[in-house]
Amino acid sequence: MKIQKVLNIFSQALAGFALVLPYGSQAVEMPPEYYEVQEIPLPVGVAPEIGGLKFNSKGELIVLTRRSGILIAKPHQDPNQFQWRTFTDHSLHNPMGILVESDHQFLIPQMAELTRVVDTDRDGTADLFEAVTTDWGVSGNYHETNAGPIPDGEGNWFVAIGTASHNGPTFDYVRGEFSRTGRRGRNYSAVKDKGWVVKVTSDGSIIPWASGFRANNGIGMSPSGDLWVTDNQGDWRGTSPIYHVEKGHFYGHPSSLVWDPSFFPKNGDPLEFGVDRLNQLRTPAAIQLPHGLVCNSPSEPVFDTTNGKFGPFKGQMMVGDIAAQRIIRVMPEKVRGVYQGACAFLIENSGLRGGNNRLTFSPEGNALYVGQTYRGWGAPAEGLQRIVWNGVTPLEVRQMSITPGGFDLTFTKPIDADAANDPDRYQIQSYRYSYGHKYGSPQLDKKVHIAKRVNVSEDKFTVSLKLDQVEAGKIYQIDLVNLFSSDGLPIINPMVCYTVNQLR
């Protein structure tokens, strides 16, 4: 009790410094009594470049590596006590995803094909490598990675196919048709299906599903059956987006349009089609992750289906950052039939490495496993870690929702009403990112906003903010300055950003 009283006094004393803190206040280290980051050593000699993580029906962790094949282990409470075995030591071609079809059979997207890896005689070692499809093109460029596969529920699979990079060449001999028009640009689509999400049918046929992607190194399905893809900041990407993917939609990167027969060649070169006309064709991102603030290189999206076993974020999307030491929490909501929503940190630093490429929840639900790899950008970081919830709830923004003329912030714990009723505790700004061929974008049309009215709910879980202005097409960043819970504990991650596509 004495310690708690000191913490309360200290938190309240800090409140006097609220107005001198800058916008973009950063998260503090996550105390391990909430979420603990644990290091899981891999066997000696294994190159820890992880391209896929999943659990099988036995509760074993399947680890797909770039150079050291597939490893399997039953998780142990002591992260140093995993007993690893080798399913295959064959080096696969830059694999960036895995689907567990059974305890002895996996689907893996290599750069050149979707491959089924099978242990046919059940001796614990793979002995069959079967090409499910080889119908997409291959130029030989290092950047043409493929994410997935994601089951569609009808025996088929979605795969996200990335574009090539100007930092690497195409080979003299390619698989499939070569397009000189598609070969142009910073990130380009010189061969079929680059920059697309496709559906691979059970007989190996490919159905083009959606176009306009750049480096879509993450694809996932929500519990409600919505398909989601992350993409990376770069050309035609002012900042990193998260897309709700629908069939036939174009998501902004024009190079892939050379493989859309409804567009090319009748409309001409997509790179010369014009930004304004392309902007009219494209479906904007559901959620934008502000570059340098929230995320620099998003990877695989996974949904918290643990029903509260991982903490107070049931149903939310978790996304890794390859170029920073963080996992992002995403809070989608549908407004007027269109997805938009908020993002915040789940955890930043706190012992977590960068390179956060693939994520999966444990069968027990209390741990998020993180597979890390380095792909040429960001600081080198590779290996396997897990984030364990220790059963104590931190003070965080659990949900941010748009309201007429403002936003509701719902917290994981009751907040101190005196602090929360102070408008100066909410530093609010809005901005947007440009759309065009240039690499990335600065924040544009920045505005500082005032909380004209603040209302704390009777249960002290929700703060309703009325702003001077809310516009569609902008990101609203709210930095919470010295807010604390009713029992005196500070908020861990004080920044939350909301992408507005539709107004209430």
Side-chain angles (χ1 to χ4, degrees), residues 96-177:
M96 294 290 269
I98 187 169
L99 173 65
V100 177
E101 294 188 303
S102 74
D103 294 343
H104 58 273
Q105 183 170 298
F106 311 132
L107 268 181
I108 295 169
Q110 299 191 74
M111 290 184 78
E113 65 181 49
L114 182 61
T115 309
R116 180 172 281 119
V117 181
V118 190
D119 171 17
T120 62
D121 58 10
R122 310 296 196 273
D123 68 349
T125 303
D127 48 53
L128 174 65
F129 295 79
E130 175 189 22
V132 175
T133 187
T134 59
D135 278 357
W136 58 67
V138 179
S139 79
N141 186 275
Y142 79 98
H143 201 270
E144 294 175 344
T145 55
N146 309 311
I150 301 297
D152 72 343
E154 300 176 352
N156 313 301
W157 311 278
F158 290 107
V159 177
I161 300 178
T163 58
S165 170
H166 75 292
N167 283 319
T170 55
F171 284 13
D172 291 336
Y173 299 95
V174 302
R175 188 176 72 199
E177 182 184 353

Side-chain angles (χ1 to χ4, degrees), residues 36-345:
E36 180 182 359
V37 178
Q38 298 178 352
E39 180 73 23
I40 302 172
L42 292 172
V44 175
V46 169
E49 301 167 295
I50 296 176
L53 283 181
K54 285 293 185 294
F55 281 89
N56 65 15
S57 65
K58 298 178 181 178
E60 295 176 314
L61 179 64
I62 316 298
V63 178
L64 172 66
T65 70
R66 188 183 187 190
R67 304 171 196 265
S68 301
I70 301 172
L71 302 174
I72 301 177
K74 184 77 171 180
H76 195 282
Q77 185 174 359
D78 182 347
N80 295 300
Q81 296 299 317
F82 281 50
Q83 299 299 309
W84 295 100
R85 60 185 175 89
T86 300
F87 186 73
T88 176
D89 58 4
H90 286 37
S91 178
L92 300 172
H93 191 182
N94 205 7
M96 294 290 269
I98 187 169
L99 173 65
V100 177
E101 294 188 303
S102 74
D103 294 343
H104 58 273
Q105 183 170 298
F106 311 132
L107 268 181
I108 295 169
Q110 299 191 74
M111 290 184 78
E113 65 181 49
L114 182 61
T115 309
R116 180 172 281 119
V117 181
V118 190
D119 171 17
T120 62
D121 58 10
R122 310 296 196 273
D123 68 349
T125 303
D127 48 53
L128 174 65
F129 295 79
E130 175 189 22
V132 175
T133 187
T134 59
D135 278 357
W136 58 67
V138 179
S139 79
N141 186 275
Y142 79 98
H143 201 270
E144 294 175 344
T145 55
N146 309 311
I150 301 297
D152 72 343
E154 300 176 352
N156 313 301
W157 311 278
F158 290 107
V159 177
I161 300 178
T163 58
S165 170
H166 75 292
N167 283 319
T170 55
F171 284 13
D172 291 336
Y173 299 95
V174 302
R175 188 176 72 199
E177 182 184 353
F178 179 83
S179 170
R180 291 190 179 278
T181 304
R183 176 63 178 82
R184 298 166 56 246
R186 184 182 178 103
N187 275 69
Y188 56 87
S189 184
V191 291
K192 187 171 177 289
D193 297 325
K194 303 308 177 186
W196 284 75
V197 168
V198 302
K199 180 183 280 192
V200 181
T201 64
S202 56
D203 66 0
S205 301
I206 287 184
I207 301 173
W209 201 256
S211 62
F213 301 98
R214 178 182 177 270
N216 40 353
N217 177 35
I219 182 169
M221 187 82 75
S222 73
S224 61
D226 290 312
L227 188 65
W228 293 85
V229 164
T230 63
D231 211 332
N232 276 242
Q233 184 237 28
D235 58 330
W236 303 96
R237 296 285 185 264
T239 193
S240 293
I242 301 178
Y243 294 110
H244 170 228
V245 179
E246 298 178 274
K247 186 178 182 180
H249 285 227
F250 165 66
Y251 292 92
H253 198 285
S255 294
S256 60
L257 291 175
V258 299
W259 304 107
D260 182 350
S262 69
F263 182 93
F264 183 79
K266 68 178 182 179
N267 290 310
D269 184 347
L271 290 179
E272 297 180 357
F273 196 62
V275 171
D276 291 340
R277 295 170 72 189
L278 288 169
N279 196 30
Q280 293 175 0
L281 288 178
R282 76 179 177 119
T283 299
I287 292 125
Q288 299 181 67
L289 307 176
H291 192 77
L293 281 175
V294 174
C295 187
N296 294 335
S297 184
S299 60
E300 183 175 37
V302 298
F303 286 83
D304 182 351
T305 58
T306 67
N307 201 28
K309 295 177 183 178
F310 189 68
F313 308 119
K314 177 183 176 180
Q316 295 187 6
M317 182 193 302
M318 308 296 171
V319 177
D321 191 342
I322 284 186
Q325 298 79 29
R326 63 176 70 109
I327 306 294
I328 300 101
R329 229 177 0 103
V330 181
M331 303 157 254
E333 67 173 350
K334 190 173 278 189
V335 179
R336 301 181 185 272
V338 176
Y339 272 113
Q340 56 190 40
C343 57
F345 296 148

Side-chain angles (χ1 to χ4, degrees), residues 238-239 288 290 429-436 438 440-449 471 473-476:
T239 193
Q288 299 181 67
Q429 58 180 319
S430 67
Y431 45 84
R432 67 175 180 87
Y433 293 95
S434 67
Y435 172 65
K438 292 184 178 179
S441 166
Q443 294 176 355
L444 303 174
D445 298 336
K446 293 181 69 171
K447 293 182 181 178
V448 173
H449 296 271
E471 299 176 79
K474 299 192 76 175
I475 299 167
Y476 283 77

